[in-house]
Every structure is written in C-alpha cells, then in structure tokens.
Amino acid sequence: TLAQALTLATANQNDTVYLFAESNTGATTADNLSATLTWNKDLVHLVGVCAPTAVSQRARIAALSTASAISPLVDVTAAGCLFRNLQIVHEQASASALINLRVTGERNVFENCHIAGIVDVTMSAAGACSLKIDGGAENVFRHCVIGVDTIARDADATEILFDTAATRNLFEDCFITSY
C-alpha cells in the first residue's frame, strides 16, 4: 500500500514511491484507502507508472468502497514533493466525504494528475471540493485535470477551494471541469 511505502521512505532524501497500474479497469488498479493517506515526509515523491493520459490515469488512489467517510482522501502536509501521472479519485456515497485532496504543504509539484473529487451525487454538499489548498503556498499544478463532469453539483460544492493564506500557487496548462 502507499501508506506502507511511505513508512519505508526517508524524508529529505528524494526517495521515490512508484504506483504501478495493474490493468485498465479502475477498480483493480487503485490503492483503495480505508483512511486518509497523509503524505507527511518532505522530499518524498510519488510517481504513477501507467500511460500518461490526462484523464483517469490507471495509477489511482481511491477510497475503499466499504470505508467510512474519508475526508480528505489524501492530505499532503509535506513540502518539496513531486506527484506525477496519478489519479486521485474520491467516490464515496457519503455527504461527509467532502475533500478529495487537501494540500497544506509548500513547494510541491503536481504534474499530469487527475484530481477527481465529488464522484457521487451525495458528496455534493457544502465544503465539498476536488482540491483544497489550505495554507499551502508556492505549489505548482502542471497539466492537471481538476474535477469531473459526470456528477451534477449543487451550489455549495466547488472544484478548487483556497483557504488560510494559500498564496503563490500556480496552475499551468490545467483543465478544470465540473457539472
């Protein structure tokens, strides 16, 4: 699991964790989490090994279908990390599973990632978002897809939520989609 791989990585050494796609079926090619994955080691990178498509990469992080409401699904508190060629997809049928990816760390780079929150109609609630940058600063999102256009949102849900002095974050060549 990614949680186990992270425990084996050493902070500040540029260790890299590879998430390999196992097939073309989303359900069989994800690390299905039962609790929040807190990426908390500086300079530890996560790279998906799969076709570098822009949408729904097969190197996926998702919630286990039987897990209780997880929010956030992935919490990046570390700094200086690279996340590349991944899909982070939150599809729990729960109005309490609000946040897909929260970034509080600084100077991280997300490259060719599909950050897909609110993938069930019950998740469209106040505070729901695909990406929440909460105090994180100087992060770069490059060639990312943020959101999904397959589930209707109500007026309270959003794709990107900025909070608590989220400053100097850059979005380069990103596609933000919603329904």
Side-chain angles (χ1 to χ4, degrees):
T1 66
L2 290 175
Q4 180 63 28
L6 186 60
T7 65
L8 298 172
T10 303
N12 298 309
Q13 296 295 312
N14 287 298
D15 284 359
T16 302
V17 175
Y18 293 97
L19 179 59
F20 288 85
E22 295 178 28
S23 74
N24 193 41
T25 305
T28 61
T29 191
D31 184 0
N32 294 302
L33 306 176
S34 59
T36 297
L37 173 64
T38 301
W39 202 265
N40 57 3
K41 292 186 177 180
D42 294 351
L43 293 170
V44 173
H45 315 295
L46 177 57
V47 176
V49 181
C50 63
T53 61
V55 176
S56 288
Q57 293 90 335
R58 297 293 92 176
R60 305 172 75 225
I61 302 169
L64 186 66
S65 63
T66 58
S68 298
I70 303 171
S71 186
L73 180 64
V74 177
D75 197 8
V76 177
T77 62
C81 302
L82 170 66
F83 300 88
R84 177 182 286 153
N85 204 34
L86 302 163
Q87 181 184 30
I88 303 168
V89 56
H90 205 347
E91 49 193 346
Q92 288 188 289
S94 171
S96 298
L98 298 177
I99 301 168
N100 181 41
L101 171 62
R102 179 173 61 189
V103 180
T104 60
E106 299 179 337
R107 293 174 295 286
N108 296 295
V109 174
F110 297 83
E111 187 171 69
N112 197 50
C113 292
H114 186 184
I115 303 165
I118 317 169
V119 186
D120 187 280
V121 69
T122 57
M123 297 172 80
S124 186
C129 58
S130 290
L131 169 63
K132 181 176 185 178
I133 303 177
D134 191 358
E138 300 175 1
N139 295 290
V140 175
F141 296 83
R142 183 179 299 125
H143 192 65
C144 290
V145 174
I146 302 168
V148 296
D149 59 5
T150 56
I151 301 296
R153 273 94 164 112
D154 65 17
D156 295 324
T158 184
E159 296 308 336
I160 304 173
L161 178 60
F162 297 97
D163 200 3
T164 318
T167 57
R168 296 177 305 283
N169 292 285
L170 301 176
F171 293 83
E172 300 173 359
D173 190 31
C174 291
F175 183 71
I176 302 166
T177 183
S178 190
Y179 169 19

